[in-house]
Amino acid sequence: MIDLGVNIDHVATLRQARRTYEPDPVWAAAAAHLGGADCITVHLREDRRHIVDRDVELLRQSVQAKLNLEMAATDEMVGIACRLKPEMVTLVPEGRHEVTTEGGLDVAGQRPRMQDVVAQLQAAGIYVSLFIDADQKQVEASAQVGAKACEIHTGPYAHAFYEGGRDIEMPAAQAELRKVGAAGTAIVGLGMRFNAGHALNYFNVQPIAALPGVRELHIGHAIVSRAVFVGLEQAVREMKRLIREIAAG
Ligand code: PXP
């Protein structure tokens, strides 16, 4: 079974556009849960551009599915996570000027810091996942620093799929899919959990869901975009159905 993590940051983005109180990501979490989300993800950014501290506090109290806090490996964020104890933390790189998370974490280039942060979070009982590119060196470094899971960045695959006319047979999309698959095999081989996400949508999700060993898909923008037209509960249900179709063979 593949779990679906729904990222609700964009609901908060809409709220922050007016600096008001609606739409509330806490409501979004409940709707996503009703639609079948297995996990609710929020990214608390250093600049609080969408999700704010109040959201994470309330979500911690109200989310009945798994709560996954995406965050940078800073002392401030580690302190918040250790206090609120989400079931899972996904460590991501964070650039102030990026529109969304742009690339995977360079775990290999900062092993001592990563090891320290992973250890602090795990000592607080939090399951730690690292968001990395589909790169063997980063997978091996993730295992070395003690991560329990890796989320492979599917952005390059999604980009190649789109640029190739949304045709999964195109060589560039196939090549990127193979990279994600190879990283997944290495992750599973090293005893970690293989997750994937970023830029997945209703058209490109199934080849990723079909990769051997994949356990969780983390999807935000596409689901919230569809929710504008069909409602969040329905948008989550449709994504779950696509993933289930693959799991059922
Ligand atoms: N996974 C990670 C680590 C992310 O940073 C994001 C974006 O916040 C997502 C998944 C979801 O990406 P998207 O919004 O493109 O579905």
Side-chain angles (χ1 to χ4, degrees), residues 15-194:
R15 175 191 62 194
Q16 296 311 98
R18 291 290 290 267
R19 304 256 183 281
T20 181
Y21 54 85
E22 63 181 2
D24 192 331
V26 177
W27 289 31
H33 192 41
L34 288 172
D38 303 289
C39 168
I40 299 296
T41 298
V42 287
H43 184 173
L44 186 65
R45 284 182 167 268
E46 190 192 0
D47 62 9
R48 310 303 200 261
R49 72 168 73 150
H50 39 53
I51 294 293
V52 296
D53 300 63
R54 165 265 184 210
D55 301 329
V56 189
E57 305 256 354
L58 288 179
L59 287 166
R60 172 61 299 181
Q61 292 168 37
S62 60
V63 165
Q64 294 172 16
K66 181 164 83 176
L67 180 63
N68 173 33
L69 179 62
E70 270 182 30
M71 54 178 237
T74 62
D75 291 342
E76 184 202 12
M77 290 301 154
V78 171
I80 292 171
C82 289
R83 182 169 60 80
L84 294 179
K85 297 192 183 357
E87 280 74 28
M88 179 160 117
V89 158
T90 301
L91 294 173
V92 297
E94 200 172 291
R96 218 159 239 251
H97 302 293
E98 68 189 4
V99 175
T100 180
T101 315
E102 278 171 359
L105 205 52
D106 180 14
V107 184
Q110 43 178 339
R111 283 172 214 246
R113 172 68 186 160
M114 282 298 136
Q115 193 155 11
D116 179 37
V117 169
V118 170
Q120 287 185 59
L121 293 168
Q122 284 179 176
I126 301 166
Y127 193 93
V128 182
S129 174
L130 304 181
F131 180 61
I132 56 170
D133 291 330
D135 175 344
Q136 299 290 330
K137 184 175 62 155
Q138 300 297 346
V139 173
E140 283 161 20
S142 299
Q144 282 163 8
V145 303
K148 291 270 191 291
C150 292
E151 180 179 335
I152 293 297
H153 188 348
T154 48
Y157 154 76
H159 185 71
F161 178 81
Y162 186 80
E163 291 299 318
R166 278 66 94 194
D167 180 354
I168 193 58
E169 303 299 330
M170 294 304 279
Q174 282 291 317
E176 292 298 339
L177 184 62
R178 272 196 300 276
K179 282 189 210 165
V180 178
T185 303
I187 290 166
V188 174
L190 287 165
M192 296 180 288
R193 189 176 169 105
F194 170 29

